Amino acid sequence: MSEKVLLSNLQMAEFVNNGFVRLDEVIPQEICDAAKALLETNDIKVGGTRGCDLMERYPKGSPIDQLIRVPEVLGMIESLVGPNPRFDHHAIHRKPAKTGFAQILHQDAEIDVREDAFDIQLSFFVHDTPLEMGGTRFLPGSHFRRVHETQIGRYQNIKGMYQVVCKAGTVVAWHHNIWHGAQPNLMDEVRYMFKLRLNPMVKQQLLWNHEGLSSEESEEIAEVMFKGQPWYGQENRIEIFNRIRMWRFLTNNPDFDREDWFTRVENIPN
Amino acid sequence: MKKQKLLYLYLANSAPSSGTIGWSLFDGTGQDEPNYQVDAEAPYGSALEAMRDGWRVIQVPVLSPDLPGQEYKTDYLKFEYILEKMEECDE
């Protein structure tokens, strides 16, 4: 990968907290339009197959290849899963016009028992997606929860649920494990979203622009990372442990802590 | 005939008076459809509030210790109360 804009410390802290990070209107309109035309006709040209290097997946210069090579998108990918990630799969998400029902809440794929490594899924919104058109809903902070796919299907409303309402050219990168679902589309037009799953091929440590990580900025980072989610209730404390653990891994700093939370329970004098 | 409505309330802790953090409604009478608006208001602030409005608790969350090694793992919403109301319908 060449030109790229890496994520910042605060954006990574946001990813650790919410399980996703969003870049608004970073993809030029002409690329969005070309990509949308492919989604409408289900005519995405591909090179490599599942398991290939991402950069071999789409013919160079094709609309999907151009989506990925936007410097902010390249930087977001590299920050989260490193350079040259592996292509897992893609999907054209199509919500017909005047669809009044929502997709049930779910988590993708099988139970993933990895402790630290994670895949990302990128959602490319190639046209304006106003509230009435839906967009994806995510449950911020649900990425640490080990559940199995649609077993959470009976959860209709959870406090703090987030709906992606955005302009064309917006990209959301989300942790593979986050709870999500498609919202209704009440408009007269079909809604499209292009989803792309990527696997890391390197240890996911300090891949972003981590300048100033251990300086005076650290309190600001902690503020973003440990902001509570309105649905955690009594389990808020366990979720703080989860975030400490993830930040320890991402920064390769096993001593990182928040007000001695881990230090306290790891203290076993001999 | 009477038909059943099921209300699931997910609470902040095991007390029925604790705050609602999530909810689902399955309406056997067919009058109410699920509301998926992300900023929808909870129908009740707690299970106790729903009980005072005539809902009958039919399941309370069971408290059990975490399995060794799983103490810091999170998964499903823990404090799920299931409540019902029976309503008279034409058929």
Side-chain angles (χ1 to χ4, degrees):
Chain A
M1 293 185 189
S2 52
E3 192 187 2
K4 65 210 167 196
V5 180
L6 295 172
L7 295 180
S8 67
N9 291 321
L10 287 180
Q11 285 172 310
M12 286 303 291
E14 194 183 318
F15 184 82
V16 170
N17 184 326
N18 288 326
F20 62 90
V21 63
R22 163 178 169 160
L23 300 178
D24 278 81
E25 300 178 69
V26 291
I27 300 168
Q29 188 66 50
E30 60 272 20
I31 299 178
C32 286
D33 292 343
K36 181 168 179 266
L38 293 185
L39 303 186
E40 285 169 341
T41 53
N42 191 14
D43 188 27
I44 296 175
K45 301 282 187 297
V46 297
T49 54
R50 184 185 284 266
C52 71
D53 185 301
L54 172 64
M55 290 303 156
E56 293 169 6
R57 171 64 178 170
Y58 305 102
K60 200 160 185 183
S62 66
I64 303 299
D65 180 64
Q66 289 184 61
L67 283 182
I68 293 162
R69 290 181 189 274
V70 167
E72 288 83 356
V73 177
L74 274 182
M76 181 157 70
I77 292 171
E78 182 162 333
S79 297
L80 293 166
V81 288
N84 307 312
R86 189 169 64 187
F87 167 78
D88 185 299
H89 73 279
H90 76 217
I92 298 172
H93 285 222
R94 181 180 186 279
K95 192 77 168 175
K98 298 286 184 195
T99 306
F101 60 89
Q103 184 184 29
I104 58 171
L105 199 63
H106 63 285
Q107 165 264 354
D108 278 354
E110 298 307 314
I111 296 177
D112 196 326
V113 296
R114 285 177 289 181
E115 283 289 337
D116 299 313
F118 57 91
D119 292 352
I120 57 166
Q121 306 217 65
L122 297 167
S123 290
F124 294 89
F125 294 88
V126 293
H127 57 75
D128 289 356
T129 307
L131 185 66
E132 307 74 38
M133 199 178 226
T136 312
R137 74 185 187 284
F138 292 105
L139 182 63
S142 57
H143 50 303
F144 295 115
R145 303 254 161 176
R146 198 164 285 180
V147 300
H148 190 197
E149 227 249 338
T150 53
Q151 282 194 17
I152 54 175
R154 72 180 180 214
Y155 300 161
Q156 289 172 351
N157 304 87
I158 300 177
K159 274 190 174 178
M161 193 75 80
Y162 177 87
Q163 183 170 346
V164 181
V165 172
C166 64
K167 303 296 279 183
T170 298
V171 190
V172 180
W174 39 290
H175 190 287
H176 69 262
N177 209 34
I178 198 169
W179 301 2
H180 64 283
Q183 285 293 74
N185 174 13
L186 304 177
M187 292 183 70
D188 294 329
E189 298 163 50
V190 177
R191 182 180 87 224
Y192 289 96
M193 185 270 279
F194 180 68
K195 190 191 83 172
L196 177 62
R197 182 164 179 152
L198 303 174
N199 315 140
M201 300 304 285
V202 296
K203 200 166 190 178
Q204 291 155 288
Q205 293 185 326
L206 298 169
L207 298 171
W208 67 97
N209 177 9
H210 53 276
E211 199 178 325
L213 185 61
S214 55
S215 70
E216 69 281 357
E217 291 176 34
S218 57
E219 193 48 43
E220 200 182 352
I221 293 167
E223 202 171 300
V224 171
M225 188 159 48
F226 295 115
K227 189 178 170 200
Q229 302 289 356
W231 61 278
Y232 278 167
Q234 184 267 344
E235 291 189 303
N236 185 53
R237 289 166 179 246
I238 302 294
E239 297 293 0
I240 288 176
F241 277 107
N242 283 332
R243 295 172 196 173
I244 294 170
R245 200 188 65 240
M246 189 173 189
W247 198 250
R248 282 181 169 188
F249 168 72
L250 289 171
T251 57
N252 193 24
N253 176 8
D255 296 325
F256 174 78
D257 206 351
R258 174 70 166 167
E259 294 170 354
D260 285 344
W261 282 58
F262 253 116
T263 307
R264 187 181 298 126
V265 298
E266 287 171 336
N267 177 35
I268 308 174
N270 288 311
Chain B
M1 71 184 290
K2 283 192 170 179
K3 292 184 179 176
Q4 188 185 34
K5 279 182 163 182
L6 281 183
L7 176 65
Y8 289 67
L9 291 180
Y10 301 95
L11 304 186
N13 63 50
S14 66
S17 55
S18 66
T20 300
I21 58 164
W23 65 97
S24 302
L25 179 66
F26 298 95
D27 186 352
T29 72
Q31 292 171 39
D32 292 316
E33 291 299 320
N35 180 351
Y36 287 98
Q37 278 181 280
V38 295
D39 55 355
E41 279 289 315
Y44 299 100
S46 67
L48 186 60
E49 205 178 296
M51 289 158 63
R52 287 173 178 161
D53 194 38
W55 288 87
R56 183 168 171 264
V57 176
I58 60 173
Q59 183 179 294
V60 298
V62 174
L63 298 181
S64 55
D66 294 311
L67 294 171
Q70 300 299 307
E71 296 88 348
Y72 296 112
K73 304 292 184 199
T74 51
D75 42 69
Y76 301 94
L77 300 180
K78 266 193 171 177
F79 307 112
E80 180 184 73
Y81 278 79
I82 307 179
L83 303 97
E84 73 163 5
K85 234 181 200 181
M86 300 301 292
E87 287 191 357
E88 199 65 51
C89 296
D90 290 340
E91 61 174 276

